């Protein structure tokens, strides 16, 4: 961790350790003149030489050695001060209670949790995986701090902190005969085996409504209520499925699956929302995680737009 509040302190320590302005400038990713200017200005203000200028580099003077020793000690003490700051903010103890839908068991949420755990290894996580309506109720009842849900209902006790729209499309193996298509209709897939999401999966009602509206009953069907099983079957090229991009975006990014938008009228996207209770006072560590998740959702939004 760099010594804060003082650009000179950071520059001085590197110059003292390298004994060379050019090497110091390379480590600091700045110009030699900028390093020299900081050192010269400090010597002028302190009215004492900190380095001896030698033909082959620099050497600390007695005053420079005293300053170097004091700065190292101060830097170490400041690290302890930062720990005490964390304790004051609740970042040194406690836990985060959050709710997730099962579709988020891989991807950006796990990445965010891993990043936070690395930064604050003492934090505990209590993760509740449920359907969206259960997570909403837990938020309202203040059983959890916040949650990620699909298609949030309008509720006076629920606040949407961030959201993205998730398209629905056909998912298949890159080896499938239809994988090279840019868009597909249900009629285009009539002869393919359809791996269909059963209840209580969120996508189930949407998918059944599509088949009914288009008066299509696939010739070959496989029905399951397990998204992970569906994805495994799709990777083995055992059929195609109608899923949300959220269900498969990691596999699509890894080129294990292909997502092809559905070209039908009236197909509405799902909404993924990061929600908390209205007027609930969240801990500092929960706020940090929410900020990280919101940034990840913005990145995901870019990938989603590429699929439209």
């Amino acid at each position: 961790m760099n010594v804060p509040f003082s650009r000179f302190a950071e520059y001085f320590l590197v110059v003292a350790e390298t004994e060379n302005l050019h090497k110091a400038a390379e480590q600091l990713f700045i110009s030699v003149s900028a390093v020299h200017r900081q050192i010269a200005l400090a010597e002028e203000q302190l009215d004492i030489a900190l380095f001896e200028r030698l033909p082959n580099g620099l050497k600390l003077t007695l005053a420079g050695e005293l300053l170097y020793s004091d700065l190292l000690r101060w830097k170490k003490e400041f690290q302890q001060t930062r720990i005490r700051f964390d304790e004051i903010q609740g970042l040194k103890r406690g836990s985060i209670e959050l709710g997730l839908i099962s579709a988020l068991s891989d991807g950006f949420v796990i990445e965010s949790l891993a990043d936070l755990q690395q930064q604050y290894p003492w934090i505990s996580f209590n993760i509740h995986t449920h359907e969206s309506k259960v997570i909403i109720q837990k938020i309202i009842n203040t059983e959890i701090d916040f949650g990620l849900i699909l298609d949030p209902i309008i509720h006076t006790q629920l606040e949407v902190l961030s959201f993205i729209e998730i398209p629905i499309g056909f998912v298949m193996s890159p080896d499938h005969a239809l994988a090279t298509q840019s868009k597909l209709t249900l009629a285009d897939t009539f002869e393919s085996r359809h791996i269909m999401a059963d209840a209580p999966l969120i996508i189930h009602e949407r998918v059944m409504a599509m088949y009914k509206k288009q008066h299509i009953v696939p010739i070959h069907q496989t029905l399951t209520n397990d998204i992970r099983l569906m994805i495994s079957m799709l990777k083995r090229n055992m059929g195609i499925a109608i899923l949300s991009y959220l269900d498969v975006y990691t596999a699509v990014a890894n080129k294990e699956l292909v997502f092809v938008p559905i070209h039908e009228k009236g197909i509405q996207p799902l909404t993924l929302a990061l929600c908390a209770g209205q007027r609930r006072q969240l801990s500092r560590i929960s706020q940090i995680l929410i900020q990280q998740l919101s940034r990840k959702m913005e990145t995901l939004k870019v990938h989603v737009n590429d699929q439209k």
Side-chain angles (χ1 to χ4, degrees), residues 29-42:
F29 299 102
I30 58 174
S31 66
V32 175
S33 60
V35 180
H36 179 266
R37 184 164 56 251
Q38 286 290 329
I39 299 298
L41 181 61

Side-chain angles (χ1 to χ4, degrees), residues 175-188:
D175 298 326
H176 195 279
L178 298 175
T180 58
Q181 301 299 310
S182 59
K183 291 183 179 180
L184 288 168
T185 65
L186 278 167
D188 295 329

Side-chain angles (χ1 to χ4, degrees), residues 177-231:
L178 298 175
T180 58
Q181 301 299 310
S182 59
K183 291 183 179 180
L184 288 168
T185 65
L186 278 167
D188 295 329
T189 68
F190 180 69
E191 295 183 358
S192 297
R193 173 171 289 276
H194 284 228
I195 304 172
M196 302 167 67
D198 200 0
L201 296 176
I202 293 290
I203 197 73
H204 167 71
E205 293 183 6
R206 296 285 187 97
V207 172
M208 292 301 107
M210 289 181 205
Y211 288 128
K212 184 176 180 179
K213 184 177 181 180
Q214 300 302 322
H215 306 288
I216 288 178
V217 179
I219 300 174
H220 309 290
Q221 300 180 18
T222 299
L223 195 64
T224 175
N225 62 359
D226 189 329
I227 287 287
R228 288 184 291 267
L229 178 60
M230 293 180 70
I231 292 173

